[in-house]
Amino acid sequence: MAAVLTAPQRAVRRRRTLVVLGVLTLAVVAAFLTVDVTGSWDYALQQRGRRLAAMAVVAVAVAVSTVLFQTVTNNRILTPEIMGFDRLFVLIQTVGVFSLGAATVTTTDPRLRFAVEVVVLIGFGALLYRSLFGRTERDVYVLVLLGVVLGSTFTSLTLLVSRLIDPNEFLTLQDLLFASFNSVDRQMLALSAVLVALVTAGVWRLLPRLDVVALGRDTAVGLGVEHRRVVDRALLAVAVLVAVATALVGPITFLGLLVANLARQLLGTHRHAWVLPGAALLALLALAGGQLVLEQVFGFNSSLSIVVNFVGGIVFIALLVREPRQ
Amino acid sequence: MTRTTGRRSGVAPAPRGQVRRRRGVQRWHVAAALATLVLAALASLFVGVGDLTPADLLDPDEAQARVLWTSRVPRLLAILLAGSAMAVAGLVMMHLTRNRFVSPQTAGTTEWVGLGIVVATLSFGGASVLGKMVIGVVFALAGTALFVWLLQRMVLTDVVVVPLVGILLGGVVSAAATFLAYRFDLLQTVDVWMNGDFSGVLAGRYELLWLVLAATVVAYLWADRFSVAGMGESFAINLGVAYTRVVMVGLAIASVVTAIVVVSVGSIPFLGLVVPNLVTLAMGDDLRRVLPVTALTGAAFVLVCDVLARTVRYPYEVPVGMIGGVVGGVLFIWLLLRARKRAL
């Protein structure tokens, strides 16, 4: 539809879209912080501020990780969550509590614990997905199905291991696993924010090369980009970001898929410098706006991820069914 | 079409298609499998907290007899019924949709039943098992119909898109069910149907499961018709088979079986998918020949998973669905990679 526009016109339109998104997000954020405050404003702002900060961190992590993953895999229906990354992280946490005991896990510095978990995730993820990617190159549907089945197998395994854990230790695990925006640990939040900021800054420096990688492996290599190195770094960033988001609030499978595709569509471009901020804004808009609507209109508390999975699942099916026609 | 014994029907035209027929499985293989199943079944009678040894069978005291007849035997029967019926349901669905990866668990049927259970519990208070079953069947039929409708609309580029859409559809339905359950404090109900568990099976509380035996028998009697329907619409009509009706009956059998099993004992992930695939890998695609072996293998699969579930954290139990989910998931991944390698 934008075919008749000249390049500068498109840039203007993109900028305008991004500004509109920003203003909308700001409005929703303001509403989220201030609507229906009863009693102490200080307390309410502090509480909501922390939840909002968690949402912002998760929004950036999910948006950046999904866009990167899609660039690297050269497909717009794959996301790290659909490939089971987040479930793998939950499984790693569970196995950690099971094999080391709750006492060891809780007395360890959360930063150290998180670092270890992320390293294990990267190791396992690289091993697992490298071998799968290598074997079924360019066969996207098989990959997605594999990812979905892997995710569900990881979930079964997590449930199984958590049943084998001592009930007292299970309580500790539950605190780790059933995180939500309402119960975010302050220390974790600060750590996560720093990590996401660092990784995003690192990604920013990769942007020009990522734009080339998005053209496909052969083209990228032809244009003189070290494809393998860019891909490795991007996957590393993805693993850290997914771990951060999952550790903070648990799996939200379809959020990334929704915002990455919507951002590309709204902005009419595949260039990362536009898509990344657009997707992040959309993610925050969806999280804060969704929570606001759920709480204020329906009086629910923490079922946002269920709603996101419901809507996201339908969109995903539509994408799958329509894709071959294009 | 005359009916012959299962063994001889291998001569009748069967949907072999491009699939290579293997003669690897001999009669003694089946006999050995059957013997193993019987042994495992007997063993399963003696796994549990209540003391019961094979020697006690000869002269059980009152308590031991009660354990045996109210708990162990009903549980064994429930396992055999559910396992065999779900495997056969998967086999029939696989044939009718002409896709190896379609089963009640990869078409969203299980999740529709779950939604039905939540709706039944909500609208009729603590609805009776029979009430839940009826509503579960209705939801399963509607869900399967929706899936088939989606299937017809899809431009198929790849066989794996079909199960993918089915699994995701199941995810959406399950999200809806979870949402409702969350809203009305029924999350435990959802937990129960998502993770199949035979620990609640007692005499007097599982008998509706016998209905699936009837469905399995019907599936066997109609095996030849399903075979022909599985060869495609025009082919089936040319052979004088009422294609639409046969397909509808087959999918209805699969849906009803799924609903009854899920309402009675909960879901065992991938059961209806991996067992028929493994059996047809070994025996070829002749439906009538494969069906009884599929039923036996399904029962054995669930039995082994259940004995594992009862012993892995003895004296406590783990829901069998979790064990099945891990084992089935790993097998499914293996099947997928294998199918892909052969196609290349």
Side-chain angles (χ1 to χ4, degrees):
Chain A
M1 73 187 161
V4 283
L5 296 178
T6 60
Q9 278 174 315
R10 266 180 299 194
V12 169
R13 176 171 281 200
R14 261 177 237 149
R15 201 164 302 141
R16 203 186 304 147
T17 313
L18 218 48
V19 169
V20 170
L21 266 183
V23 171
L24 256 177
T25 313
L26 271 182
V28 167
V29 162
F32 181 80
L33 286 175
T34 53
V35 163
D36 202 25
V37 171
T38 49
S40 161
W41 273 83
D42 265 359
Y43 178 75
L45 281 183
Q46 201 190 354
Q47 284 298 317
R48 294 184 183 192
R50 192 190 298 175
R51 282 170 68 191
L52 191 68
M55 285 177 183
V57 171
V58 169
V60 174
V62 166
V64 174
S65 63
T66 310
V67 174
L68 282 191
F69 196 75
Q70 295 191 332
T71 298
V72 166
T73 55
N74 222 333
N75 189 283
R76 64 194 194 96
I77 55 178
L78 286 181
T79 77
E81 287 81 13
I82 287 169
M83 294 304 298
F85 262 60
D86 50 352
R87 317 283 183 93
L88 182 58
F89 183 74
V90 173
L91 177 62
I92 290 169
Q93 282 186 317
T94 314
V95 172
V97 173
F98 177 64
S99 51
L100 302 175
T104 324
V105 171
T106 39
T107 48
T108 323
D109 187 331
R111 279 165 294 189
L112 179 65
R113 193 185 74 214
F114 188 71
V116 172
E117 283 165 356
V118 170
V119 168
V120 176
L121 175 73
I122 292 168
F124 265 106
L127 209 79
L128 201 59
Y129 294 98
R130 191 48 81 56
S131 62
L132 293 184
F133 276 84
R135 215 191 279 205
T136 53
E137 211 171 2
R138 294 200 196 102
D139 208 338
V140 185
Y141 298 119
V142 176
L143 265 184
V144 181
L145 187 56
L146 272 174
V148 171
V149 178
L150 271 176
S152 107
T153 311
F154 290 151
T155 306
S156 287
L157 208 51
T158 304
L159 287 171
L160 187 60
V161 174
S162 64
R163 285 291 180 119
L164 301 181
I165 292 173
D166 191 73
N168 293 320
E169 306 206 327
F170 183 68
L171 280 182
T172 319
L173 184 70
Q174 218 165 14
D175 283 347
L176 289 176
L177 292 188
F178 294 91
S180 81
F181 287 109
N182 299 333
S183 60
V184 171
D185 178 63
R186 189 184 296 202
Q187 221 181 344
M188 262 317 281
L189 183 57
L191 171 71
S192 308
V194 171
L195 265 178
V196 170
L198 283 177
V199 172
T200 310
V203 167
W204 210 254
R205 290 182 40 218
L206 274 182
L207 283 192
R209 271 171 285 172
L210 279 171
D211 284 336
V212 180
V213 167
L215 299 174
R217 187 176 172 279
D218 295 345
T219 318
V221 172
L223 289 172
V225 166
E226 284 176 284
H227 186 267
R228 189 61 175 263
R229 252 178 74 185
V230 177
V231 168
D232 280 349
R233 279 191 207 173
L235 282 179
L236 187 73
V238 168
V240 176
L241 293 174
V242 170
V244 169
T246 315
L248 269 185
V249 297
I252 310 178
T253 311
F254 287 110
L255 181 65
L257 178 91
L258 283 177
V259 297
N261 281 306
L262 203 55
R264 281 198 202 101
Q265 204 144 36
L266 284 177
L267 295 164
T269 178
H270 285 66
R271 290 199 26 213
H272 292 79
W274 293 100
V275 175
L276 285 178
L281 283 176
L282 280 168
L284 184 56
L285 196 62
L287 288 177
Q291 193 75 41
L292 190 69
V293 170
L294 274 184
E295 274 176 28
Q296 299 303 326
V297 182
F298 298 105
F300 298 158
N301 217 339
S302 60
S303 44
L304 181 62
S305 59
I306 304 175
V307 177
V308 170
N309 281 347
F310 182 74
V311 178
I314 293 176
V315 171
F316 193 82
I317 292 173
L319 275 177
L320 270 180
V321 176
R322 276 181 42 204
E323 186 90 336
R325 289 189 192 160
Q326 292 165 356
Chain B
M1 208 176 296
T2 54
R3 281 201 281 109
T4 50
T5 59
R7 182 69 199 164
R8 234 183 298 150
S9 70
V11 186
R16 261 163 249 170
Q18 67 279 55
V19 180
R20 194 154 47 95
R21 172 78 167 280
R22 296 214 207 149
R23 291 232 153 255
V25 176
Q26 309 291 327
R27 195 173 295 182
W28 71 269
H29 286 147
V30 179
L34 196 60
T36 318
L37 178 65
V38 171
L39 278 180
L42 283 178
S44 91
L45 287 178
F46 307 108
V47 179
V49 177
D51 267 338
L52 190 69
T53 58
D56 295 331
L57 276 192
L58 298 174
D59 179 28
D61 62 34
E62 203 181 315
Q64 284 166 338
R66 204 176 329 124
V67 167
L68 186 66
W69 293 115
T70 57
S71 166
R72 301 288 168 79
V73 170
R75 181 175 190 148
L76 176 60
L77 289 173
I79 290 167
L80 298 180
L81 287 170
S84 54
M86 279 309 288
V88 169
L91 182 70
V92 169
M93 246 177 137
M94 177 175 124
H95 263 267
L96 292 179
T97 57
R98 310 173 74 184
N99 187 317
R100 297 206 155 268
F101 297 120
V102 172
S103 72
Q105 275 111 350
T106 49
T109 312
T110 323
E111 284 81 2
W112 281 103
V113 180
L115 182 62
I117 296 175
V118 172
V119 169
T121 317
L122 274 182
S123 41
F124 304 106
S128 66
V129 181
L130 189 64
K132 279 184 200 165
M133 217 165 259
V134 171
I135 295 181
V137 167
V138 172
F139 272 76
L141 288 172
T144 312
L146 175 72
F147 177 71
V148 171
W149 178 79
L150 262 180
L151 238 173
Q152 287 164 345
R153 228 93 298 254
M154 270 189 275
V155 184
L156 295 178
T157 49
D158 197 318
V159 281
V160 302
V161 179
V162 176
L164 189 57
V165 168
I167 292 177
L168 291 163
L169 189 64
V172 170
V173 176
S174 153
T178 315
F179 185 78
L180 276 180
Y182 182 86
R183 184 82 183 91
F184 297 101
D185 271 338
L186 291 171
L187 275 181
Q188 274 183 318
T189 321
V190 174
D191 255 10
V192 170
W193 67 256
M194 276 184 173
N195 294 297
D197 191 353
F198 289 97
S199 63
V201 173
L202 293 171
R205 288 182 52 186
Y206 82 103
E207 279 72 7
L208 284 169
L209 253 185
W210 282 101
L211 289 174
V212 300
L213 184 63
T216 311
V217 171
V218 174
Y220 182 69
L221 295 178
W222 274 50
D224 290 334
R225 277 173 245 204
F226 295 146
S227 285
V228 176
M231 284 187 262
E233 183 165 4
S234 51
F235 197 98
I237 291 172
N238 272 341
L239 286 182
V241 168
Y243 177 77
T244 313
R245 204 180 67 197
V246 171
V247 168
M248 275 169 63
V249 168
L251 293 178
I253 289 177
S255 309
V256 169
V257 164
T258 310
I260 295 174
V261 169
V262 172
V263 170
S264 313
V265 293
S267 154
I268 300 160
F270 304 125
L271 165 64
L273 179 99
V274 293
V275 171
N277 266 294
L278 292 176
V279 174
T280 46
L281 269 184
M283 293 187 62
D285 278 342
D286 180 350
L287 189 56
R288 177 100 74 77
R289 202 164 77 99
V290 163
L291 197 141
V293 180
T294 306
L296 286 182
T297 316
F301 181 85
V302 179
L303 190 60
V304 170
C305 286
D306 188 65
V307 171
L308 262 179
R310 279 190 273 174
T311 45
V312 70
R313 183 151 173 61
Y314 189 82
Y316 305 106
E317 277 191 27
V318 175
V320 65
M322 292 174 188
I323 306 259
V326 176
V327 178
V330 171
L331 284 174
F332 188 6
I333 292 167
W334 177 74
L335 282 169
L336 250 179
L337 291 177
R338 189 182 174 287
R340 191 53 35 170
K341 234 196 298 182
R342 291 183 110 205
L344 287 176

